[in-house]
Amino acid sequence: MISVEKAHKIINKTLTYPKIETIPIEKSLGRILAQDIVSGLNMPPFDKSAMDGFAISSKDNSEKFSIVEVIPAGAVPKKRINRGECAKIMTGAMLPDGTDRVVKREVTKEKNGVMFIKGEDKAFNVCLEGEDIQVGDRILAAGDKIRSAEVGIIASMGMNTVKVYKKPLVGILTTGSEIVEPGKKLATGQIYNSNSYSLSAQILELGAEVKYGGIVSDNQKLIGKSIEDFLSTVDMVLISGGVSMGDFDYVPQILEKLGVTLHFEKVAIKPGKPTVFGTCGKKFVFGLPGNPVSTFIIFEIFVKPLLYSLLGYTFAPFYLKGVMQQDMKRKKSIRLAFVPVMYNKGKISDISYHGSAHFNVLSQANALLEIPVGIDEILKGSEVDVRQI
Ligand code: AMP
Ligand code: MG
């Protein structure tokens, strides 16, 4: 059995560089940038009006101004504006020569081609060339996640395609002769397959892709065949169940037979001790304990950071500081425990968690309390960090 820290180190050592592809910007939401975005433009690209109004020189304190031109957005001004003159200008239009100020329409009066300033407007109401961004500025960096705002920023640079990291394809295989797909009738002794669906959702949430391999009964040949198929078609294989000490837990030996190098088979973590991790060439394989909370938490702790790296993103868990509202005690302290808890406004509350088969607690939990090796109690009132999930 190895420590959680050691397991992380082993996983990190197997990392490979993510692959890159070029995609249209409208398909880029949620993807990870594989290029820096450096501006080839000044933004705004020219001095422009920020208001509908009249462009004048700020030094001109004439009483009235002849309107010599009307400038809509997108037009290039034709005339230079002299003393006693102005141009009627629309928001976003280019300022004409001789002007540096726009008097907003609301404080003016217009009559027979002449403009009078009727009220006070001290603002200049102009946006100067390069005020937001200058040529050569790095706007976004490789590794940034593309959210809605970033899609707009990339478009504003005039780019209609962008380089992103390729989505890894993750195969999910569920083992267990007792497991039945939701929607079917349960016979005595059977249970519904929840792991395939929670895993699939966890993978999709990160932005990777899923290939579902269905349920395979506890039969060495069948499990071997399914894993072999996956090893030639996906980037990572997640196998649920079949990794514990039971008579029908065949997964580690099957993986070895298929040429998968097993890097670890047991981790000092609770829940999820019998977690298996292996590689086969550039493919990654996890054997996840079948208990639903274990599967969920092991994904969060080990699979998620690796999958994010394959997506080109550096994941760092987010911790929240809070005060324990109850005592948390345990009998053995040889494993690092992750206990589902509820965090709210600095308070950390226990939820009635009966162990790794008790899946519905996860809907109340929004954080994991880490209890280090060697610690058997965390008392009410203590201040601790919890990991957001
Ligand atoms: P195993 O690791 O195969 O020994 O499974 C441990 C426990 O998790 C058993 O009680 C299984 O019935 C349960 N289990 C295994 N796979 C699933 C699954 N896909 N969905 C829900 N529970 C599962
Ligand atoms: Mg099983």
Side-chain angles (χ1 to χ4, degrees), residues 55-97:
I56 60 169
S57 162
S58 59
K59 295 192 186 78
D60 188 350
N61 46 14
S62 305
E63 281 191 357
K64 54 184 187 176
F65 300 81
S66 326
I67 304 168
V68 298
E69 190 178 359
V70 177
I71 313 171
V76 179
K78 294 186 188 68
K79 294 189 174 143
R80 187 187 162 80
I81 305 300
N82 301 305
R83 201 179 155 73
E85 292 177 347
C86 70
K88 190 173 186 182
I89 193 165
M90 311 304 143
T91 305
M94 192 186 273
L95 282 186
D97 284 346

Side-chain angles (χ1 to χ4, degrees), residues 174-176 178-179 191-196 215 218 240-246 248-249 274 288-292 295 357:
T174 285
T175 71
E178 78 284 24
I179 312 295
I191 59 163
Y192 282 124
N193 174 18
S194 58
N195 289 344
S196 297
I215 301 169
D218 292 312
S240 148
V243 289
S244 320
M245 297 299 287
F248 306 103
D249 292 332
L288 307 170
N291 269 317
T295 301

